[in-house]
Amino acid sequence: MEKELEKLAGEIAAAVNAAKTREELEAARVKYLGKKGALTAFFDKLGSLPKEEKPKAGALLNTLRKKADALLAEKAEGLESCSESNALDATLPGRNFSTGRYHPLTIISNEAKEIFKSLNFQIIEGPEIESDYYNFEALNFPPHHPARDMQNSFHLGNGMLLRTHTSPVQVRTMEKQKPPLRMITIGKCYRSDASDQTHTPMFHQIEGLMVDENINFGDLKGILKVFFSRLFEREVNIRFNPSYFPFTEPSVEVSFSCHVCGGSGCSVCKKTGWIEIGGAGMVDPNVFKSIGYDSERWTGFAFGWGIERLAMIKYGINDIRLFPENDLRFLGQFE
Ligand code: FA5
């Protein structure tokens, strides 16, 4: 009997498995567990078995019955979940997946790269952990010079620091390439500045450098005019005011005519008609000397400012701290 029951167990499992509809499953149940079913027939035989065999056979039959019931119930549930009422309704509208967007700083950086690429500038990258030499010394900040205090630094020891500006990439590029050259770099910078509406300890800068024969302030103005006009989608004028950086001489503070009012004065430009953006100047001959460029033959300009500042101006954002906060309600507004 044991062997026969084993065989029957296999048959029941196969029949339940093979059922594709509720009707087929019911037919399998009737075939094995119905009044005249194969398993029921074994229960009927139980009475005619010798007394000593009855308990073992009874236990085997009960186990098989329980297994069969469980198999049938499980299969019924499976068929139920793919029954017609639960089947895929192709007329239902699809679920929307929220897709990611570019961070506003990435949008501005990409736009800036595209504009400068179209003006034949290379895009160069440099390390964020810098040596004192590239961050300061080669840029004409002598050791202990007070100009270093203009940029509060995170020192790492061994003469290394987190770069305070992207200007070291100028030096690294000039070391590797002979003039003429045109490059920009965009990347993270670090200063131990307290956070406020316009400062964060980590921020991004864009830096540009162009070196050739007879480069002058007119070239700088021309390139910047093209850049800001394209970025702000409005023809702008460029204004230079005297400034100071150790690595440029003369140095200027760059402003462009307000992209909102066109220069007539509005709340965005605080009624001045101009928006200050950052520093620039003609590369100091001392910088060329430290790289080994002939400063009698080559001249060049450099410029640099905050990407956050550009984004704040372009999108009308009044607090720089919104950029690193990663609040999706803020980030979701930029295309
Ligand atoms: C410089 O860093 C120069 N390297 C720029 C330069 C390059 C001048 C080439 C001449 C030629 P400055 O320290 O002013 O300059 O910083 C430039 C810009 O970086 C600032 O105008 C500001 O937009 C941004 N910036 C500086 N510190 C912070 C800060 N803590 N948080 C946010 N933005 C900052």
Side-chain angles (χ1 to χ4, degrees):
M1 184 162 177
E2 213 173 318
K3 284 226 165 106
E4 282 173 87
L5 282 180
E6 232 172 68
K7 194 173 156 228
L8 186 63
E11 276 176 35
I12 295 174
V16 170
N17 232 352
K20 298 229 162 24
T21 61
R22 272 183 287 179
E23 289 72 28
E24 285 176 16
L25 188 64
E26 177 59 10
R29 189 193 68 77
V30 172
K31 185 172 173 191
Y32 296 101
L33 304 183
K35 267 192 183 163
K36 293 182 181 161
L39 184 60
T40 318
F42 275 99
F43 275 100
D44 294 342
K45 274 190 222 162
L46 207 55
S48 56
L49 287 179
K51 208 173 164 194
E52 61 278 13
E53 285 179 27
K54 270 186 195 168
K56 192 178 173 200
L60 277 174
L61 276 172
N62 278 331
T63 309
L64 181 53
R65 169 89 206 206
K66 269 190 198 151
K67 262 193 199 165
D69 281 341
L71 276 178
L72 283 162
E74 194 187 327
K75 183 74 180 188
E77 207 174 290
L79 289 174
E80 179 67 25
S81 66
C82 36
S83 71
E84 258 172 53
S85 58
N86 286 318
L88 176 76
D89 180 354
T91 63
L92 282 174
R95 281 191 203 120
N96 275 335
F97 292 98
S98 55
T99 48
R101 289 167 191 238
Y102 283 118
H103 192 281
L105 298 179
T106 308
I107 298 175
I108 293 283
S109 302
N110 288 345
E111 282 177 10
K113 283 180 193 166
E114 284 313 309
I115 298 170
F116 279 109
K117 264 201 259 175
S118 76
L119 297 168
N120 275 339
F121 279 69
Q122 309 169 65
I123 317 289
I124 308 269
E125 288 193 9
E128 289 172 27
I129 295 177
E130 261 303 0
S131 64
D132 183 273
Y133 174 78
Y134 286 109
N135 197 82
F136 288 126
E137 218 174 313
L139 288 162
N140 203 28
F141 288 84
H144 314 298
H145 193 279
R148 288 175 178 234
D149 294 342
M150 290 162 72
Q151 304 187 359
N152 302 321
S153 314
F154 288 111
H155 292 282
L156 303 175
N158 295 337
M160 304 300 282
L161 72 163
L162 295 179
R163 71 177 177 195
T164 55
H165 53 169
T166 40
S167 300
V169 187
Q170 283 183 36
V171 181
R172 289 180 174 276
T173 309
M174 287 191 280
E175 271 183 353
K176 288 193 196 112
Q177 299 185 27
K178 298 245 165 311
L181 73 85
R182 299 174 183 207
M183 54 84 50
I184 64 153
T185 186
I186 296 181
K188 292 191 181 83
C189 302
Y190 304 83
R191 293 187 195 178
S192 62
D193 292 339
S195 285
D196 61 24
Q197 249 178 292
T198 51
H199 295 86
T200 41
M202 190 277 283
F203 56 98
H204 298 74
Q205 280 190 349
I206 176 171
E207 180 92 12
L209 170 74
M210 181 168 172
V211 184
D212 208 330
E213 286 171 334
N214 301 319
I215 292 289
N216 58 39
F217 259 143
D219 299 305
L220 172 60
K221 233 182 191 176
I223 292 282
L224 295 186
K225 186 176 165 71
V226 171
F227 172 66
F228 288 113
S229 298
R230 287 217 208 143
L231 188 74
F232 291 103
E233 295 166 49
R234 172 173 197 154
E235 188 77 10
V236 300
N237 292 317
I238 302 293
R239 187 181 72 175
F240 289 159
N241 286 104
S243 187
Y244 170 75
F245 299 99
F247 40 95
T248 47
E249 179 57 35
S251 302
V252 291
E253 182 66 36
V254 179
S255 306
F256 60 89
S257 56
C258 178
H259 58 297
V260 176
C261 62
S264 56
C266 67
S267 58
V268 173
C269 58
K270 301 198 180 83
K271 306 258 181 264
T272 63
W274 294 97
I275 295 186
E276 267 188 20
I277 182 67
M282 301 305 294
V283 180
D284 193 296
N286 279 341
V287 175
F288 280 161
K289 261 182 227 151
S290 71
I291 276 117
Y293 279 11
D294 177 359
S295 60
E296 294 296 318
R297 180 173 173 203
W298 305 107
T299 50
F301 63 70
F303 57 84
W305 42 77
I307 290 285
E308 281 82 352
R309 173 127 178 87
L310 273 185
M312 288 169 84
I313 295 166
K314 180 150 180 175
Y315 297 123
I317 296 163
N318 60 8
D319 196 325
I320 194 172
R321 290 167 293 196
L322 288 165
F323 292 119
E325 251 173 26
N326 282 337
D327 184 335
L328 289 179
R329 290 167 302 179
F330 170 71
L331 297 178
Q333 299 174 60
F334 306 96
E335 284 300 337

